C-alpha cells in the first residue's frame, strides 16, 4: 500500500462520505423493509388476494408470489446493472427505490379478491415482480456507489454498513407489524390493519428520495465518463467476453453462493427449524431470532473493517468453512435446548417406514404446485412435518407403505386416482391414527415453553448470525473490487443476486425436501454445507484476494 493510501486510511470520515454511507444504507434498509413485509404477512395476504381458492392453495400461491420476487432478482441486476454502467450509479438506484416504494405502497391500497376478483392477485404478482427487479438493481448500486466513494484501505468498513441493511430491514418490518398488531388488535389487523405497514412505506420512500436527490455521482464514474471510457455495451462486455465472464463465475461459485447459504441458514432456516421442526411457538422463536440479530448486527462492521486489514477471502471463506463444520452440532444442540422432549422421543422410539422405493419421490416443490400422492410420499411428508426421524426399509414392489412406531404398524394410503373427497377422508383418518401413535410414543406436538433453555438457544442463534456477519460483512467490497469500473455495476450484481436469490432463496424448500426424503430433521443441512464447502474449495484455489486492487484501474 502506498504512503498516500495509508494517509487516506488514517484520516477520519468526511461529512460527504458519512452522507453517502447513511443515504445508501438508509435507502437499502427501506427496500428490504418493503421486501420482507410481504413474506411476514403471507398468510394474511393469501386470505385477502387468493380467496377464490381453498386456504391451502391460497397460501401456496401467496408463497409463490413471494418466491417470484427472488427469482426475478438476477434479471433486475441485468436491467439496472446495465443502466448503472451506462448513465451512472446515482440515478439508477434512485429509480430502483422509486419502483420498490411505489409497488409496496400500491399493495397497501390494492382492492382484494372480494372487491375486484381475479384482477387482484394478478396485480399483486406484477407488483411482487417489480419489487424483485428493483431489489436486483438496488444492492449493486448501493454497494458500488459507497465503494467508489470510499478511501483506499477502508472499502470494507464503508460497504459493511450496506451489509447491515437486510438484517435491519427485516428487524424494522417485524417491529412495525408487531406495533400495528398490538395497536389495532388481531381481528382488525387481519381485516384492514395489515395495510398500514405497506402504506407507511410511502414516508420512508419520500425520505430516501429526498436524501438521494441531494447526493453527488460516484467519483469513479465521473472520472471514467470524463475520459470517455463508459461502456457502450455493458452486458456484452460483462458476460460475452471470457475474461470477465470467468470473474463473474468465480464471484458466484467462489464467494456469493457460499455466502448466500450461510446467510439464509443463519437468518431464515434457523427460524424455520425452530418453528416447524422443533415446534417452538412463533412469538418465542421470533423474539429469540430478533434478539440474536440485534446482538450480532454490529459484527457486520467488525468483519468489514477487519477485511481491510487481513483481506476479504480469509474472512468470507473462513466463515463458510466454520459454518459447514459446525452446523450439525449447533442444530442438534438447538433441539436439546429448545425441545428436549423431542430429542428424548427420537432416541427412545425409532420409527421405520417400509415402502417400495420406486414410489418414493424427492419432494422438491419450489412452486408449490406439485402433488405427491403415493403412499410412501404421503407417509414421509406427514412424519417430516411432525419432526419425526425415521429409518427407511425396502418394501415389496407395488406394496402400500407402512409406518412402524415401536410395535404398532400403521398402513398409509394411495391418494393417486382418488376423488378430492375420498382423498381428504383417508388423509384425515391416516393423520389422526399416525399422530395419536406418535404422541403415545412421546413425540410432543409442540415445545414446552417451560422446558426451553432460552439463554442457550439465544447463544446458539447468535453464533449462527455471527457466521452470517463473517461471510456477508466483506462481500460487497470483494465483489466491487473484482470488476473494472466500466462494467462493475452489471458484473457484481449478477453473481450476488443469483447466489442470494436462487442458491439462498431455494434453501428452505430444498432442505425440507431432503428432510422428507431421508427421514432425518438434520439432513436438510447438507444443502448449505455442501454449497459452502464447494465455495471454500473454488475460492481458495481460484479467487484472488482483492483488498489491494485499485478500483479505478481497468483491470
Amino acid at each position: 500500500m502506498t504512503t498516500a493510501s495509508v494517509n487516506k486510511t488514517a484520516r477520519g470520515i468526511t461529512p460527504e462520505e458519512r452522507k453517502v454511507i447513511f443515504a445508501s444504507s438508509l435507502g437499502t434498509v427501506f427496500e428490504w423493509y418493503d421486501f420482507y413485509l410481504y413474506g411476514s404477512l403471507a398468510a394474511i395476504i393469501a386470505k385477502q388476494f387468493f380467496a377464490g381458492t381453498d386456504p391451502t392453495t391460497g397460501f401456496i400461491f401467496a408463497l409463490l408470489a413471494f418466491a417470484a420476487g427472488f427469482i426475478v432478482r438476477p434479471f433486475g441486476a441485468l436491467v439496472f446493472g446495465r443502466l448503472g454502467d451506462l448513465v451512472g450509479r446515482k440515478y439508477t438506484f434512485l429509480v430502483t427505490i422509486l419502483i420498490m416504494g411505489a409497488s409496496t405502497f400500491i399493495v397497501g391500497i390494492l382492492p382484494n379478491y372480494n372487491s375486484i376478483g381475479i384482477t387482484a392477485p394478478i396485480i399483486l404478482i406484477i407488483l411482487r415482480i417489480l419489487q424483485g427487479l428493483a431489489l436486483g438493481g438496488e444492492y449493486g448500486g448501493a454497494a458500488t456507489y459507497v465503494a467508489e466513494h470510499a478511501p483506499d484501505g477502508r472499502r470494507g468498513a464503508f460497504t459493511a454498513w450496506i451489509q447491515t441493511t437486510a438484517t435491519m430491514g427485516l428487524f424494522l418490518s417485524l417491529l412495525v407489524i408487531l406495533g400495528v398488531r398490538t395497536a389495532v388488535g388481531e381481528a382488525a389487523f387481519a381485516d384492514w390493519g395489515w395495510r398500514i405497514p405497506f402504506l407507511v412505506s410511502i414516508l420512508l420512500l419520500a425520505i430516501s428520495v429526498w436524501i438521494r436527490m441531494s447526493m453527488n455521482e460516484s467519483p469513479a464514474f465521473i472520472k471514467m465518463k470524463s475520459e470517455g471510457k463508459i461502456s457502450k455495451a455493458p452486458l456484452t462486455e460483462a458476460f460475452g467476453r471470457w475474461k470477465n465472464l470467468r470473474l463473474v463465475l468465480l464471484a458466484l461459485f467462489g464467494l456469493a453462493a457460499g455466502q448466500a447459504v450461510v446467510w439464509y441458514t443463519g437468518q431464515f432456516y434457523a427460524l424455520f427449524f425452530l418453528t416447524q421442526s422443533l415446534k417452538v411457538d412463533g412469538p418465542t422463536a421470533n423474539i429469540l431470532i430478533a434478539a440474536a440479530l440485534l446482538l450480532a448486527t454490529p459484527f457486520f462492521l467488525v468483519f468489514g473493517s477487519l477485511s481491510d486489514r487481513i483481506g476479504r477471502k480469509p474472512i468470507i471463506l473462513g466463515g463458510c468453512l466454520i459454518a459447514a463444520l459446525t452446523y450439525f452440532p449447533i442444530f442438534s444442540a438447538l433441539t436439546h435446548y429448545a425441545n428436549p422432549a423431542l430429542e428424548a422421543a427420537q432416541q427412545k422410539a425409532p420409527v421405520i417406514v417400509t415402502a417400495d422405493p420406486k414410489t418414493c419421490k424427492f419432494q422438491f416443490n419450489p412452486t408449490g404446485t406439485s402433488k405427491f400422492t403415493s403412499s410412501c410420499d404421503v407417509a414421509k411428508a406427514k412424519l417430516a412435518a411432525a419432526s419425526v426421524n425415521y429409518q427407511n426399509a425396502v418394501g415389496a414392489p407395488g406394496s402400500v407403505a407402512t409406518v412402524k412406531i415401536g410395535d404398532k404398524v400403521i398402513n398409509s394410503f394411495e391418494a393417486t386416482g382418488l376423488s378430492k373427497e375420498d382423498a381428504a377422508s383417508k388423509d384425515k383418518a391416516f393423520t389422526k391414527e399416525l399422530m395419536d401413535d406418535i404422541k403415545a410414543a412421546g413425540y410432543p406436538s409442540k415445545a414446552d415453553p417451560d422446558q426451553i433453555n432460552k439463554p442457550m438457544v439465544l447463544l446458539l442463534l447468535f453464533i449462527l448470525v455471527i457466521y452470517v456477519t463473517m461471510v456477508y460483512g466483506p462481500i460487497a467490497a470483494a465483489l466491487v473490487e473484482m470488476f473494472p469500473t466500466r462494467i462493475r455495476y452489471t458484473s457484481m450484481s449478477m453473481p450476488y443476486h443469483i447466489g442470494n436469490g436462487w442458491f439462498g432463496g431455494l434453501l428452505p424448500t430444498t432442505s425440507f425436501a431432503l428432510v422428507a426424503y431421508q427421514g432425518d430433521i438434520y439432513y436438510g443441512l447438507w444443502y448449505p454445507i455442501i454449497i459452502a464447502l464447494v465455495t471454500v474449495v473454488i475460492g481458495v484455489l481460484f479467487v484472488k484476494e482483492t483488498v489491494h486492487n485499485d478500483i479505478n484501474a481497468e483491470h
Side-chain angles (χ1 to χ4, degrees):
M1 190 180 294
T2 65
T3 304
S5 64
V6 171
N7 290 336
K8 289 181 77 175
T9 303
R11 67 163 173 79
I13 300 177
T14 67
E16 176 64 20
E17 290 167 349
R18 190 176 291 110
K19 180 181 176 182
V20 165
I21 293 173
F22 176 74
S24 301
S25 300
L26 184 64
T28 313
V29 167
F30 294 163
E31 294 236 18
W32 282 109
Y33 164 84
D34 292 345
F35 199 76
Y36 284 131
L37 277 183
Y38 185 95
S40 301
L41 299 174
I44 291 175
I45 286 173
K47 295 177 182 178
Q48 292 284 335
F49 294 98
F50 299 97
T53 61
D54 63 85
T56 300
T57 304
F59 187 65
I60 287 171
F61 277 119
L63 292 178
L64 180 58
F66 180 64
F70 285 95
I71 294 168
V72 302
R73 279 168 58 176
F75 301 102
L78 282 176
V79 172
F80 292 109
R82 178 178 180 275
L83 195 61
D85 284 327
L86 285 173
V87 304
R89 292 34 169 146
K90 172 186 172 180
Y91 292 106
T92 300
F93 81 135
L94 183 61
V95 170
T96 62
I97 201 167
L98 281 168
I99 294 174
M100 189 80 175
S103 299
T104 305
F105 178 77
I106 294 171
V107 172
I109 61 174
L110 182 64
N112 61 19
Y113 186 92
N114 292 330
S115 299
I116 60 173
I118 192 66
T119 306
I122 291 173
I123 295 175
L124 179 69
I125 291 173
I126 291 172
L127 292 172
R128 289 296 305 154
I129 290 172
L130 287 173
Q131 285 180 319
L133 290 171
L135 189 56
E138 168 66 20
Y139 177 85
T144 300
Y145 188 77
V146 171
E148 291 179 349
H149 274 86
D152 293 339
R154 300 192 67 180
R155 282 189 292 274
F158 276 44
T159 56
W161 287 96
I162 299 293
Q163 306 309 94
T164 68
T165 58
T167 300
M168 292 168 66
L170 172 60
F171 197 73
L172 180 61
S173 69
L174 293 175
L175 284 180
V176 173
I177 290 169
L178 181 62
V180 175
R181 259 195 162 122
T182 304
V184 305
E186 281 298 318
F189 186 83
D191 183 28
W192 56 267
W194 64 271
R195 295 181 180 274
I196 295 175
F198 287 94
L199 297 175
V200 165
S201 68
I202 199 69
L203 300 175
L204 309 182
L205 173 64
I207 295 170
S208 296
V209 170
W210 176 66
I211 293 174
R212 289 190 176 185
M213 286 292 289
S214 67
M215 293 162 61
N216 297 317
E217 181 56 86
S218 151
F221 185 84
I222 292 173
K223 178 176 182 293
M224 182 180 64
K225 185 176 181 180
S226 67
E227 294 172 352
K229 295 181 179 179
I230 292 176
S231 174
K232 293 181 175 60
L235 296 181
T236 301
E237 284 194 46
F239 311 117
R241 298 177 184 176
W242 174 245
K243 179 182 178 181
N244 199 73
L245 179 60
R246 177 179 178 274
L247 289 178
V248 171
L249 294 173
L250 289 179
L252 173 58
F253 294 106
L255 291 174
Q259 165 263 304
V261 295
V262 172
W263 197 93
Y264 276 83
T265 301
Q267 295 197 172
F268 282 102
Y269 190 68
L271 178 61
F272 173 85
F273 187 79
L274 281 176
T275 57
Q276 303 300 315
S277 298
L278 303 186
K279 310 300 181 184
V280 176
D281 65 278
T284 299
N286 278 314
I287 289 170
L288 288 168
I289 288 285
L293 292 175
L294 194 62
L295 291 171
T297 291
F299 286 88
F300 286 109
L301 308 178
V302 171
F303 288 113
S305 298
L306 183 62
S307 74
D308 287 329
R309 295 193 289 274
I310 68 172
R312 322 296 183 203
K313 275 182 59 176
I315 299 175
I316 296 172
L317 299 182
C320 288
L321 180 61
I322 296 170
L325 295 177
T326 59
Y327 273 160
F328 278 119
I330 287 176
F331 278 81
S332 178
L334 278 174
T335 303
H336 177 76
Y337 290 112
N339 196 341
L342 175 62
E343 181 185 49
Q346 289 172 344
Q347 295 171 353
K348 294 177 182 178
V351 176
I352 300 174
V353 175
T354 303
D356 175 2
K358 292 182 180 179
T359 66
C360 303
K361 296 183 177 65
F362 183 60
Q363 298 180 38
F364 180 70
N365 190 18
T367 64
T369 55
S370 299
K371 302 294 183 184
F372 302 100
T373 56
S374 73
S375 60
C376 175
D377 292 337
V378 168
K380 288 187 173 185
K382 299 289 185 186
L383 291 170
S387 306
V388 176
N389 280 2
Y390 58 85
Q391 301 170 27
N392 292 286
V394 177
S399 61
V400 173
T402 62
V403 180
K404 184 178 181 182
I405 307 173
D407 296 328
K408 183 71 182 290
V409 177
I410 308 163
N411 290 317
S412 182
F413 70 96
E414 288 288 340
T416 306
L418 294 180
S419 67
K420 186 176 181 180
E421 292 74 18
D422 288 344
S425 175
K426 286 182 175 292
D427 183 77
K428 183 178 179 180
F430 173 65
T431 301
K432 184 179 186 306
E433 185 179 7
L434 184 65
M435 293 302 114
D436 286 347
D437 287 341
I438 286 172
K439 185 177 180 179
Y443 285 88
S445 59
K446 62 180 180 179
D448 183 350
D450 295 330
Q451 296 295 315
I452 300 174
N453 187 329
K454 293 178 183 176
M456 285 304 300
V457 172
L458 177 59
L459 175 62
L460 293 166
L461 294 175
F462 173 75
I463 292 170
L464 290 174
V465 184
I466 286 295
Y467 296 162
V468 174
T469 65
M470 288 183 70
V471 299
Y472 201 54
I475 193 76
L479 293 176
V480 166
E481 291 162 349
M482 285 186 75
F483 301 103
T485 306
R486 59 192 284 115
I487 51 172
R488 177 171 294 136
Y489 200 146
T490 305
S491 299
M492 73 155 288
S493 295
M494 276 300 288
Y496 176 83
H497 286 293
I498 290 177
N500 286 273
W502 294 359
F503 282 92
L506 290 175
L507 188 148
T509 300
T510 308
S511 293
F512 182 79
L514 288 168
V515 169
Y517 180 75
Q518 188 65 23
D520 180 353
I521 64 171
Y522 307 111
Y523 200 74
L525 294 170
W526 279 114
Y527 175 77
I529 287 172
I530 290 172
I531 298 297
L533 290 177
V534 168
T535 290
V536 170
V537 172
I538 293 175
V540 168
L541 294 179
F542 302 108
V543 176
K544 296 180 180 179
E545 179 55 64
T546 63
V547 69
H548 297 307
N549 286 359
D550 179 1
I551 66 169
N552 293 307
E554 289 299 309
H555 54 83

